[in-house]
Amino acid sequence: MTQANFSDDTQTITEVVTVDLVSDQPGVITTMTSETPGSQSQDIKDQILTILSELPAYLSTFFVEYQKPLVTIGLILAGAISIKVTLGVLDALNDVPLVAPFFELIGIGYTGWFVYRYLLNATSRKELLTEIDSLKEQVVGQDS
């Protein structure tokens, strides 16, 4: 191994030269590599570029392997965010004068209509139970 230093008033360049010899033929030089301080940063740059170029393949493999848990977590987060936004909007509307009492009147009116429409007569209660069972079958599925 030979090391050469070239000095100037402002800059020092260090170069490392590696020479391999053929063991079965004495005195024959096979390879000569020159390594400068910049080549180490080039190697690191190449490794980073290799990792970044393979990143889409890694991410697609990860998503395919863990698709169901990722979708579940995404739905839970989306549901939590939508609940927070809805509560924020309702809180803001509640601060506006006359909006809260108006919503209360709408709720009382709908409750009165629902009781009159579905709960007063036995036939309408059966109709309500039929609609609830139909909706349950659509959501859950039919029982076997």
Side-chain angles (χ1 to χ4, degrees), residues 22-144:
V22 177
S23 60
D24 54 343
Q25 296 178 1
V28 176
I29 299 175
T30 58
T31 60
M32 184 172 131
T33 59
S34 175
E35 190 174 308
T36 60
S39 68
Q40 184 178 8
S41 64
Q42 182 65 29
D43 290 341
I44 292 171
K45 180 182 169 186
D46 290 342
Q47 289 176 353
I48 290 172
L49 288 175
T50 302
I51 290 171
L52 289 177
S53 67
E54 294 174 359
L55 187 63
Y58 290 143
L59 290 178
S60 65
T61 304
F62 179 80
F63 185 74
V64 166
E65 188 173 340
Y66 297 107
Q67 184 175 6
K68 286 185 180 181
L70 289 174
V71 169
T72 302
I73 290 171
L75 288 174
I76 290 171
L77 287 175
I81 290 170
S82 65
I83 288 172
K84 280 288 224 187
V85 168
T86 303
L87 290 176
V89 168
L90 288 176
D91 190 37
L93 286 175
N94 199 21
D95 291 338
V96 177
L98 297 178
V99 172
F102 181 67
F103 283 155
E104 288 177 11
L105 284 175
I106 290 174
I108 291 170
Y110 181 77
T111 304
W113 173 82
F114 186 83
V115 168
Y116 175 74
R117 169 70 174 92
Y118 289 111
L119 301 179
L120 286 182
N121 298 327
T123 57
S124 61
R125 284 193 297 265
K126 288 181 182 179
E127 180 185 342
L128 177 65
L129 288 176
T130 305
E131 288 183 26
I132 290 174
D133 288 338
S134 172
L135 181 64
K136 190 176 10 174
E137 285 179 6
Q138 288 178 358
V139 172
V140 178
Q142 293 181 351
D143 293 335
S144 298

Side-chain angles (χ1 to χ4, degrees), residues 6-12:
F6 302 101
S7 296
D8 194 14
D9 290 338
T10 60
Q11 184 179 11
T12 302

